Amino acid sequence: MLADLLNESKRTIVYTGAGMSTESGLPDFRSAKTGMWETEDPAKVASVTALNQQVEQFFQFYKQRVLAAKETGPHKGHDILAKWEKEGLINGIITQNVDGFHTMAGSKNVMELHGTLRKVHCETCGKEYGNERYEQDEFYCDCGGTLRPSVVLFGEMLPEEAFIQSIFESEKADLFIVLGSSLTVTPANQFPLIAKEQGAKLVIINMEPTEMDQFADLVINERKIGEILDEADQNVGK
Ligand code: APR
């Protein structure tokens, strides 16, 4: 079924959440029992207040995610999506993930709605550094300002370019495939609806049901993304 939809589609956009990276060993945020927000309070580790008031704790949270991401990297599912882009089967990926795995796997048209852990930048002068600063525990800029991960914190605006490009791609898609997101965080969760309202077919592939399943043409729960993509890859292009 997924392969048929891919074969029939003229313009497919894939939309990924943290569930895309759990098979690389990075925990997601809201899975029952294993999600990060089961043990961490996002307001304490992923907010601007946390950055300004608890810099050390703030950086420890991101440092563990940067190190975990460096440990593993993209899995087969990321590689298949990069291959499908090369083959013209999909046109781009809108991702909420900050691990950089889609780009590392070779995907080119990647819209990072929540920024990236691959860089840090200075709150004062904006200067950018690589994320090796985490390992060096170097959290201050040459200008004396505080460095911060180049990710979107709760309460912050999304990066304008990624946001506008994501609207453009969602409006043009005739097939919109969600992979591994609870679709609970606005405004990132609006893109599947934008695509659907423009007449796209909506596919939601997620271990657990989401509130947006009611709008989807195809829902696949309780199966791993890696297996589903591998299976579809055997039947696309035929
Ligand atoms: N296969 C399929 N689905 C999976 C898999 C898998 N291997 N692993 C996890 N999932 C599903 C879970 O069931 C869960 O519903 O992925 C979903 C991930 O949802 P969240 O943890 O809420 O992640 P996401 O939707 O990306 O969160 C959005 O919230 O905390 C912020 O900024 C953070 O970008 C994140 C945003």
Side-chain angles (χ1 to χ4, degrees):
M1 184 58 171
L2 178 61
D4 298 337
L5 292 170
L6 281 161
N7 287 332
E8 288 150 21
S9 160
K10 298 266 177 305
R11 192 166 184 83
T12 297
I13 290 294
V14 170
Y15 172 100
T16 61
M20 182 75 215
S21 297
T22 54
E23 292 168 64
S24 287
L26 289 192
D28 66 16
F29 298 98
R30 295 175 186 81
S31 269
K33 297 198 207 48
T34 55
M36 296 290 282
W37 299 151
E38 297 286 307
T39 49
E40 299 268 8
D41 173 358
K44 289 207 170 54
V45 290
S47 65
V48 178
T49 319
L51 173 63
N52 297 329
Q53 287 170 2
Q54 301 153 308
V55 179
E56 293 309 318
Q57 187 186 345
F58 178 88
F59 273 102
Q60 283 319 311
F61 173 73
Y62 284 96
K63 179 175 177 177
Q64 66 179 339
R65 210 152 171 86
V66 167
L67 298 182
K70 284 191 173 177
E71 279 288 302
T72 58
H75 61 75
K76 185 173 178 56
H78 295 97
D79 298 338
I80 289 172
L81 294 178
K83 180 167 80 80
W84 285 357
E85 183 185 35
K86 280 192 198 79
E87 292 167 353
L89 264 171
I90 67 170
N91 295 82
I93 300 174
I94 299 171
T95 187
Q96 299 171 93
N97 300 338
V98 296
D99 49 43
F101 287 172
H102 288 304
T103 307
M104 286 162 71
S107 291
K108 300 280 179 259
N109 183 20
V110 181
M111 291 144 270
E112 293 181 314
L113 284 178
H114 291 162
T116 177
L117 276 179
R118 290 197 311 278
K119 290 183 294 191
V120 295
H121 66 270
C122 175
E123 280 268 87
T124 310
C125 70
K127 186 175 175 187
E128 288 187 352
Y129 299 81
N131 65 9
E132 67 285 345
R133 306 290 290 216
Y134 289 97
E135 285 139 298
Q136 298 158 357
D137 287 330
E138 283 282 327
F139 304 127
Y140 294 94
C141 176
D142 306 346
C143 78
T146 309
L147 296 182
R148 57 160 289 173
S150 301
V151 299
V152 176
L153 301 176
F154 280 102
E156 288 187 316
M157 299 284 283
L158 300 192
E160 193 177 356
E161 190 188 335
F163 188 73
I164 291 168
Q165 180 68 10
S166 297
I167 292 177
F168 175 75
E169 293 289 2
S170 301
E171 289 181 340
K172 279 180 32 182
D174 61 16
L175 177 60
F176 195 96
I177 303 172
V178 175
L179 298 173
S181 177
S182 61
L183 295 173
T184 49
V185 173
T186 55
N189 64 356
Q190 296 307 299
F191 296 106
L193 297 182
I194 292 172
K196 184 70 188 164
E197 276 154 24
Q198 302 294 331
K201 282 203 171 64
L202 176 58
V203 175
I204 299 178
I205 297 172
N206 202 61
M207 196 62 78
E208 297 156 347
T210 79
E211 295 117 62
M212 297 208 178
D213 291 353
Q214 57 190 308
F215 306 115
D217 299 276
L218 170 66
V219 174
I220 305 176
N221 294 142
E222 294 172 25
R223 284 192 63 202
K224 287 191 167 188
I225 288 166
E227 283 162 23
I228 296 170
L229 293 181
D230 196 27
E231 203 173 271
D233 193 38
Q234 316 298 325
N235 299 296
V236 289
K238 290 188 169 57

